């Protein structure tokens, strides 16, 4: 089992920055991948960014050049640095971890943190 707890959300003006954190309940060193997704009211959850065990990153087109995902294996934490925020970035942001198990892989999710960007 893995518990994920997000923090760092809040209210920010357009053009501002926030850094989200996602702390895992155990070592993330062996996790296959970590990621951030977001869900705005009335919309489906969309993948924002992922980072692999080897540090390879991938981003949604809408956030490329503005968001940066990183992982700190010593702190068991994955981060999402968000710059140049826009009102359309408003959503609940959740992190996930893909962990290998004896029967395959399991995807764990945190409960999310609210990000609101005012115009």
């Amino acid at each position: 089992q893995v518990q994920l707890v997000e923090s760092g959300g809040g209210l920010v003006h357009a053009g501002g920055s926030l850094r989200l954190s996602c702390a895992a309940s155990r070592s993330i060193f062996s996790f296959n991948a970590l990621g951030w997704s977001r869900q705005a009211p009335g919309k489906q959850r969309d993948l924002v960014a992922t980072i692999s065990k080897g540090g390879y990153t991938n981003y949604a087109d809408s956030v490329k050049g503005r968001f940066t995902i990183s992982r700190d294996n010593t702190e068991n934490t994955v981060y999402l640095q968000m710059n140049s925020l826009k009102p359309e970035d408003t959503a609940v942001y959740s992190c996930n971890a893909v962990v290998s198990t004896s029967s395959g892989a399991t995807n764990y999710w945190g409960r999310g943190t609210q990000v609101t960007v005012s115009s």
Side-chain angles (χ1 to χ4, degrees):
Q1 282 284 349
V2 178
Q3 283 76 48
L4 301 171
V5 179
E6 301 94 339
S7 62
L11 173 64
V12 64
H13 291 298
S17 299
L18 283 174
R19 188 176 81 154
L20 305 183
S21 301
C22 174
S25 58
R26 63 180 179 89
S27 173
I28 66 171
F29 179 78
S30 63
F31 289 5
N32 294 345
L34 294 151
W36 287 93
S37 298
R38 66 187 181 187
Q39 186 168 21
K43 296 187 177 181
Q44 67 179 19
R45 184 166 60 189
D46 292 325
L47 185 65
V48 172
T50 60
I51 185 166
S52 70
K53 182 178 180 181
Y56 178 80
T57 59
N58 194 36
Y59 298 91
D61 288 342
S62 59
V63 306
K64 281 181 181 176
R66 299 188 299 123
F67 291 10
T68 302
I69 188 172
S70 61
R71 60 192 289 171
D72 186 335
N73 292 337
T74 62
E75 296 292 331
N76 300 327
T77 301
V78 59
Y79 301 98
L80 185 68
Q81 177 67 43
M82 307 186 294
N83 299 327
S84 302
L85 282 162
K86 304 175 181 179
E88 51 264 44
D89 294 319
T90 295
V92 174
Y93 285 71
S94 302
C95 67
N96 74 290
V98 180
V99 183
S100 292
T101 66
S102 58
S103 58
T106 301
N107 194 8
Y108 296 94
W109 287 91
R111 292 190 174 186
T113 184
Q114 176 70 46
V115 171
T116 303
V117 185
S118 63
S119 57

